[in-house]
């Protein structure tokens, strides 16, 4: 039986590594096969692919990645702090260019808490900072720590043609709860962010620095739009 070998490595291949259209490469770090397309490297098989991952200690991180309007993106954040202090900080995001210039836009964030029946809304326009109203501010006595799970999609929109991406829209949910208690209360926040410009980075601040250690995990996925 003939043996066919393809290029291989422990990371996602780039166009600089694949010289020919249709050339294959295997990422044995994530067990995924890729092929060189006309302008980018495309994963073979599966709908969503991980294109960025960060895991470390802290509550802030700058995610730098060249967002392509031919894809729809999903961001998943897990942020935790250990300790007994209450959290009064909302999550906020700066959407930025690849040169780290802040993009302006608008936001709506709405939240509800299991501890009461009140709903609250916060809005902003012409703003460089986009809020998610997800601070864990009430509930039982904290004995373990606080955690947030934030999940949202980022989609391109178009102006004069499908190649004219000027506005991006992010929409999703954030859940704040406790990290080791069965009686945890829950705050649920819905949010929409709309911002203008070439998206090349995000500064993410979850506000969870009320104890120690603070852990942060950020995963960026993408799915082909067409």
């Amino acid at each position: 039986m003939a043996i066919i070998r393809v290029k291989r490595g422990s990371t996602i291949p780039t166009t600089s590594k694949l010289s020919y259209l249709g050339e294959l490469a295997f990422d044995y770090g994530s067990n995924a096969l890729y092929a060189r397309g006309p302008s980018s490297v495309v994963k073979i098989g599966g709908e969503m692919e991980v294109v960025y991952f960060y895991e470390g200690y802290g509550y802030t991180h700058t995610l730098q990645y060249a967002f392509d309007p031919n894809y729809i993106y999903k961001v998943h954040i897990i942020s935790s702090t250990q300790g007994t202090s209450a959290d009064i900080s909302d999550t906020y995001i700066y959407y930025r260019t690849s040169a780290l210039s802040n993009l302006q836009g608008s936001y709506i964030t709405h939240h509800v808490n299991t501890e009461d029946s009140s709903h609250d809304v916060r809005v902003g326009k012409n703003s460089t900072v986009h809020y998610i109203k997800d601070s864990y501010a009430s509930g039982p006595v904290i004995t373990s720590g606080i955690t947030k799970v934030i999940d949202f999609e980022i989609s391109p929109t178009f102006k004069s043609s499908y190649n004219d991406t000027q506005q991006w829209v992010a929409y999703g949910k954030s859940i704040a709860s406790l990290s080791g208690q069965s009686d945890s209360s829950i705050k649920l926040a819905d949010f929409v962010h709309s911002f203008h410009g070439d998206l090349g980075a995000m500064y993410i601040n979850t506000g969870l620095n009320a104890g120690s250690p603070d852990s942060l995990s950020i995963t960026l996925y993408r799915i082909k739009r067409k």
Side-chain angles (χ1 to χ4, degrees):
M1 181 179 293
I3 297 175
I4 300 175
R5 290 187 176 181
V6 301
K7 286 187 175 180
R8 54 205 177 275
S10 59
T11 59
I12 298 174
T14 61
T15 53
S16 64
K17 301 294 184 181
L18 302 178
S19 304
Y20 303 99
L21 186 65
E23 188 175 2
L24 299 176
F26 179 66
D27 173 13
Y28 56 79
S30 59
N31 292 325
L33 183 65
Y34 293 85
R36 167 70 187 260
S39 60
S40 63
V41 175
V42 181
K43 182 182 179 183
I44 298 175
E47 289 194 348
M48 281 209 170
E49 61 175 318
V50 176
V51 294
Y52 184 95
F53 178 75
Y54 168 81
E55 191 171 76
Y57 293 102
Y59 61 99
T60 66
H61 181 69
T62 296
L63 183 162
Q64 287 192 268
Y65 179 82
F67 286 77
D68 184 342
N70 290 315
Y71 292 87
I72 297 167
Y73 295 89
K74 176 182 176 181
V75 183
H76 193 80
I77 302 169
I78 306 170
S79 181
S80 300
T81 185
Q82 185 176 2
T84 59
S85 299
D87 165 42
I88 58 173
S89 299
D90 293 324
T91 296
Y92 62 86
I93 298 174
Y94 286 96
Y95 298 96
R96 293 173 168 172
T97 67
S98 57
L100 302 183
S101 298
N102 293 328
L103 301 177
Q104 285 192 296
S106 303
Y107 65 86
I108 300 173
T109 176
H110 163 266
H111 75 83
V112 62
N113 196 327
T114 55
E115 298 304 298
D116 53 52
S117 58
S118 63
H119 295 250
D120 193 15
V121 177
R122 180 175 183 176
V123 300
K125 295 174 64 176
N126 295 318
S127 175
T128 56
V129 57
H130 293 74
Y131 283 96
I132 306 170
K133 200 169 180 62
D134 59 357
S135 59
Y136 186 96
S138 63
V141 175
I142 301 172
T143 61
S144 56
I146 302 168
T147 189
K148 293 180 181 179
V149 176
I150 307 168
D151 191 85
F152 61 102
E153 289 189 359
I154 302 177
S155 175
T157 64
F158 311 107
K159 190 176 180 182
S160 61
S161 72
Y162 292 116
N163 295 319
D164 185 10
T165 302
Q166 298 194 20
Q167 197 84 5
W168 296 83
V169 175
Y171 49 95
K173 295 180 181 291
S174 177
I175 299 170
S177 61
L178 299 181
S179 57
Q181 297 178 221
S182 60
D183 61 347
S184 172
S185 63
I186 300 171
K187 178 182 277 188
L188 169 64
D190 295 287
F191 64 93
V192 177
H193 300 160
S194 179
F195 47 94
H196 172 262
D198 295 324
L199 181 59
M202 292 189 293
Y203 172 79
I204 300 167
N205 186 325
T206 66
L208 283 184
N209 62 334
S212 181
D214 308 316
S215 59
L216 182 61
S217 172
I218 300 173
T219 311
L220 177 66
Y221 306 84
R222 72 176 184 178
I223 184 170
K224 193 76 171 178
R225 186 178 58 81
K226 60 181 178 178

